[in-house]
PDB file of all heavy atoms in Angstrom:
ATOM      1  N   LEU A1663       4.166  18.390 -30.895  1.00 89.00           N
ATOM      2  CA  LEU A1663       2.724  18.308 -31.162  1.00 89.00           C
ATOM      3  C   LEU A1663       2.413  17.122 -32.051  1.00 89.00           C
ATOM      4  O   LEU A1663       1.454  16.382 -31.813  1.00 89.00           O
ATOM      5  CB  LEU A1663       2.236  19.611 -31.813  1.00 89.00           C
ATOM      6  CG  LEU A1663       2.400  20.902 -30.993  1.00 89.00           C
ATOM      7  CD1 LEU A1663       1.807  22.083 -31.758  1.00 89.00           C
ATOM      8  CD2 LEU A1663       1.738  20.783 -29.623  1.00 89.00           C
ATOM      9  N   ALA A1664       3.238  16.909 -33.086  1.00 87.00           N
ATOM     10  CA  ALA A1664       2.988  15.820 -34.030  1.00 87.00           C
ATOM     11  C   ALA A1664       3.195  14.457 -33.383  1.00 87.00           C
ATOM     12  O   ALA A1664       2.519  13.489 -33.745  1.00 87.00           O
ATOM     13  CB  ALA A1664       3.906  15.966 -35.246  1.00 87.00           C
ATOM     14  N   CYS A1665       4.118  14.353 -32.436  1.00 87.00           N
ATOM     15  CA  CYS A1665       4.416  13.058 -31.819  1.00 87.00           C
ATOM     16  C   CYS A1665       3.283  12.560 -30.938  1.00 87.00           C
ATOM     17  O   CYS A1665       3.203  11.365 -30.636  1.00 87.00           O
ATOM     18  CB  CYS A1665       5.703  13.152 -31.003  1.00 87.00           C
ATOM     19  SG  CYS A1665       7.163  13.480 -32.006  1.00 87.00           S
ATOM     20  N   SER A1666       2.425  13.462 -30.481  1.00 83.00           N
ATOM     21  CA  SER A1666       1.287  13.061 -29.645  1.00 83.00           C
ATOM     22  C   SER A1666      -0.043  13.417 -30.285  1.00 83.00           C
ATOM     23  O   SER A1666      -1.067  13.489 -29.606  1.00 83.00           O
ATOM     24  CB  SER A1666       1.376  13.723 -28.259  1.00 83.00           C
ATOM     25  OG  SER A1666       2.463  13.220 -27.540  1.00 83.00           O
ATOM     26  N   SER A1667      -0.015  13.634 -31.608  1.00 79.00           N
ATOM     27  CA  SER A1667      -1.245  13.889 -32.377  1.00 79.00           C
ATOM     28  C   SER A1667      -2.026  15.079 -31.835  1.00 79.00           C
ATOM     29  O   SER A1667      -3.265  15.061 -31.818  1.00 79.00           O
ATOM     30  CB  SER A1667      -2.132  12.637 -32.397  1.00 79.00           C
ATOM     31  OG  SER A1667      -1.432  11.534 -32.908  1.00 79.00           O
ATOM     32  N   LEU A1668      -1.317  16.109 -31.379  1.00 81.00           N
ATOM     33  CA  LEU A1668      -1.972  17.327 -30.906  1.00 81.00           C
ATOM     34  C   LEU A1668      -2.169  18.284 -32.082  1.00 81.00           C
ATOM     35  O   LEU A1668      -1.255  18.504 -32.875  1.00 81.00           O
ATOM     36  CB  LEU A1668      -1.131  18.003 -29.823  1.00 81.00           C
ATOM     37  CG  LEU A1668      -0.873  17.185 -28.553  1.00 81.00           C
ATOM     38  CD1 LEU A1668       0.048  17.947 -27.618  1.00 81.00           C
ATOM     39  CD2 LEU A1668      -2.181  16.853 -27.854  1.00 81.00           C
ATOM     40  N   GLN A1669      -3.365  18.850 -32.205  1.00 76.00           N
ATOM     41  CA  GLN A1669      -3.678  19.725 -33.328  1.00 76.00           C
ATOM     42  C   GLN A1669      -3.139  21.140 -33.128  1.00 76.00           C
ATOM     43  O   GLN A1669      -2.808  21.825 -34.086  1.00 76.00           O
ATOM     44  CB  GLN A1669      -5.200  19.781 -33.533  1.00 76.00           C
ATOM     45  CG  GLN A1669      -5.821  18.421 -33.830  1.00 76.00           C
ATOM     46  CD  GLN A1669      -5.251  17.799 -35.093  1.00 76.00           C
ATOM     47  OE1 GLN A1669      -5.027  18.482 -36.091  1.00 76.00           O
ATOM     48  NE2 GLN A1669      -5.001  16.487 -35.049  1.00 76.00           N
ATOM     49  N   SER A1670      -3.053  21.567 -31.879  1.00 75.00           N
ATOM     50  CA  SER A1670      -2.571  22.919 -31.623  1.00 75.00           C
ATOM     51  C   SER A1670      -1.904  22.968 -30.256  1.00 75.00           C
ATOM     52  O   SER A1670      -2.075  22.066 -29.426  1.00 75.00           O
ATOM     53  CB  SER A1670      -3.723  23.935 -31.669  1.00 75.00           C
ATOM     54  OG  SER A1670      -4.608  23.739 -30.574  1.00 75.00           O
ATOM     55  N   TRP A1671      -1.157  24.049 -30.008  1.00 71.00           N
ATOM     56  CA  TRP A1671      -0.438  24.185 -28.751  1.00 71.00           C
ATOM     57  C   TRP A1671      -1.401  24.399 -27.592  1.00 71.00           C
ATOM     58  O   TRP A1671      -1.066  24.124 -26.450  1.00 71.00           O
ATOM     59  CB  TRP A1671       0.519  25.379 -28.862  1.00 71.00           C
ATOM     60  CG  TRP A1671       1.562  25.387 -27.795  1.00 71.00           C
ATOM     61  CD1 TRP A1671       2.770  24.760 -27.819  1.00 71.00           C
ATOM     62  CD2 TRP A1671       1.491  26.072 -26.538  1.00 71.00           C
ATOM     63  NE1 TRP A1671       3.476  24.997 -26.655  1.00 71.00           N
ATOM     64  CE2 TRP A1671       2.703  25.811 -25.837  1.00 71.00           C
ATOM     65  CE3 TRP A1671       0.545  26.877 -25.917  1.00 71.00           C
ATOM     66  CZ2 TRP A1671       2.975  26.314 -24.584  1.00 71.00           C
ATOM     67  CZ3 TRP A1671       0.817  27.377 -24.650  1.00 71.00           C
ATOM     68  CH2 TRP A1671       2.014  27.095 -24.005  1.00 71.00           C
ATOM     69  N   GLU A1672      -2.624  24.866 -27.884  1.00 70.00           N
ATOM     70  CA  GLU A1672      -3.594  25.147 -26.823  1.00 70.00           C
ATOM     71  C   GLU A1672      -4.166  23.873 -26.206  1.00 70.00           C
ATOM     72  O   GLU A1672      -4.747  23.910 -25.126  1.00 70.00           O
ATOM     73  CB  GLU A1672      -4.747  26.012 -27.357  1.00 70.00           C
ATOM     74  CG  GLU A1672      -4.397  27.479 -27.559  1.00 70.00           C
ATOM     75  CD  GLU A1672      -3.528  27.695 -28.789  1.00 70.00           C
ATOM     76  OE1 GLU A1672      -3.503  26.809 -29.665  1.00 70.00           O
ATOM     77  OE2 GLU A1672      -2.861  28.754 -28.861  1.00 70.00           O
ATOM     78  N   GLN A1673      -4.049  22.720 -26.901  1.00 75.00           N
ATOM     79  CA  GLN A1673      -4.590  21.481 -26.368  1.00 75.00           C
ATOM     80  C   GLN A1673      -3.831  21.062 -25.114  1.00 75.00           C
ATOM     81  O   GLN A1673      -2.616  21.216 -25.022  1.00 75.00           O
ATOM     82  CB  GLN A1673      -4.486  20.361 -27.412  1.00 75.00           C
ATOM     83  CG  GLN A1673      -5.595  20.407 -28.468  1.00 75.00           C
ATOM     84  CD  GLN A1673      -5.513  19.198 -29.366  1.00 75.00           C
ATOM     85  OE1 GLN A1673      -5.012  19.276 -30.482  1.00 75.00           O
ATOM     86  NE2 GLN A1673      -6.004  18.073 -28.884  1.00 75.00           N
ATOM     87  N   ASN A1674      -4.588  20.521 -24.142  1.00 78.00           N
ATOM     88  CA  ASN A1674      -3.957  20.031 -22.920  1.00 78.00           C
ATOM     89  C   ASN A1674      -3.214  18.729 -23.200  1.00 78.00           C
ATOM     90  O   ASN A1674      -3.645  17.905 -24.009  1.00 78.00           O
ATOM     91  CB  ASN A1674      -5.006  19.791 -21.832  1.00 78.00           C
ATOM     92  CG  ASN A1674      -5.593  21.095 -21.330  1.00 78.00           C
ATOM     93  OD1 ASN A1674      -4.936  22.135 -21.385  1.00 78.00           O
ATOM     94  ND2 ASN A1674      -6.820  21.051 -20.839  1.00 78.00           N
ATOM     95  N   TRP A1675      -2.098  18.545 -22.521  1.00 83.00           N
ATOM     96  CA  TRP A1675      -1.335  17.296 -22.654  1.00 83.00           C
ATOM     97  C   TRP A1675      -0.669  16.977 -21.326  1.00 83.00           C
ATOM     98  O   TRP A1675      -0.116  17.848 -20.664  1.00 83.00           O
ATOM     99  CB  TRP A1675      -0.272  17.440 -23.748  1.00 83.00           C
ATOM    100  CG  TRP A1675       0.576  16.207 -23.907  1.00 83.00           C
ATOM    101  CD1 TRP A1675       0.255  15.073 -24.587  1.00 83.00           C
ATOM    102  CD2 TRP A1675       1.880  15.974 -23.356  1.00 83.00           C
ATOM    103  NE1 TRP A1675       1.261  14.150 -24.500  1.00 83.00           N
ATOM    104  CE2 TRP A1675       2.284  14.684 -23.745  1.00 83.00           C
ATOM    105  CE3 TRP A1675       2.741  16.736 -22.564  1.00 83.00           C
ATOM    106  CZ2 TRP A1675       3.506  14.127 -23.382  1.00 83.00           C
ATOM    107  CZ3 TRP A1675       3.961  16.195 -22.189  1.00 83.00           C
ATOM    108  CH2 TRP A1675       4.344  14.910 -22.600  1.00 83.00           C
ATOM    109  N   GLU A1676      -0.796  15.712 -20.887  1.00 83.00           N
ATOM    110  CA  GLU A1676      -0.123  15.255 -19.677  1.00 83.00           C
ATOM    111  C   GLU A1676       0.823  14.127 -20.047  1.00 83.00           C
ATOM    112  O   GLU A1676       0.524  13.300 -20.911  1.00 83.00           O
ATOM    113  CB  GLU A1676      -1.122  14.745 -18.615  1.00 83.00           C
ATOM    114  CG  GLU A1676      -2.191  15.737 -18.227  1.00 83.00           C
ATOM    115  CD  GLU A1676      -3.441  15.598 -19.074  1.00 83.00           C
ATOM    116  OE1 GLU A1676      -3.530  14.609 -19.828  1.00 83.00           O
ATOM    117  OE2 GLU A1676      -4.308  16.486 -19.000  1.00 83.00           O
ATOM    118  N   CYS A1677       1.966  14.080 -19.376  1.00 85.00           N
ATOM    119  CA  CYS A1677       2.911  12.987 -19.602  1.00 85.00           C
ATOM    120  C   CYS A1677       2.341  11.706 -18.985  1.00 85.00           C
ATOM    121  O   CYS A1677       1.354  11.724 -18.238  1.00 85.00           O
ATOM    122  CB  CYS A1677       4.270  13.314 -18.994  1.00 85.00           C
ATOM    123  SG  CYS A1677       4.253  13.483 -17.197  1.00 85.00           S
ATOM    124  N   LEU A1678       2.975  10.587 -19.309  1.00 79.00           N
ATOM    125  CA  LEU A1678       2.487   9.292 -18.836  1.00 79.00           C
ATOM    126  C   LEU A1678       2.389   9.231 -17.315  1.00 79.00           C
ATOM    127  O   LEU A1678       1.400   8.756 -16.758  1.00 79.00           O
ATOM    128  CB  LEU A1678       3.442   8.191 -19.319  1.00 79.00           C
ATOM    129  CG  LEU A1678       2.963   7.306 -20.467  1.00 79.00           C
ATOM    130  CD1 LEU A1678       4.010   6.278 -20.794  1.00 79.00           C
ATOM    131  CD2 LEU A1678       1.666   6.608 -20.089  1.00 79.00           C
ATOM    132  N   GLU A1679       3.424   9.717 -16.635  1.00 81.00           N
ATOM    133  CA  GLU A1679       3.446   9.608 -15.181  1.00 81.00           C
ATOM    134  C   GLU A1679       2.329  10.426 -14.547  1.00 81.00           C
ATOM    135  O   GLU A1679       1.618   9.950 -13.666  1.00 81.00           O
ATOM    136  CB  GLU A1679       4.815  10.040 -14.653  1.00 81.00           C
ATOM    137  CG  GLU A1679       5.935   9.104 -15.091  1.00 81.00           C
ATOM    138  CD  GLU A1679       7.287   9.559 -14.591  1.00 81.00           C
ATOM    139  OE1 GLU A1679       7.339  10.611 -13.931  1.00 81.00           O
ATOM    140  OE2 GLU A1679       8.283   8.874 -14.866  1.00 81.00           O
ATOM    141  N   CYS A1680       2.167  11.650 -15.007  1.00 82.00           N
ATOM    142  CA  CYS A1680       1.106  12.490 -14.431  1.00 82.00           C
ATOM    143  C   CYS A1680      -0.277  11.956 -14.782  1.00 82.00           C
ATOM    144  O   CYS A1680      -1.202  12.023 -13.966  1.00 82.00           O
ATOM    145  CB  CYS A1680       1.258  13.935 -14.917  1.00 82.00           C
ATOM    146  SG  CYS A1680       2.687  14.792 -14.233  1.00 82.00           S
TER     147      CYS A1680
END
Side-chain angles (χ1 to χ4, degrees):
L1663 299 183
C1665 295
S1666 293
S1667 304
L1668 299 176
Q1669 300 300 320
S1670 68
W1671 196 87
E1672 284 75 19
Q1673 280 186 259
N1674 291 333
W1675 178 81
E1676 304 91 10
C1677 64
L1678 254 181
E1679 294 179 359
C1680 290

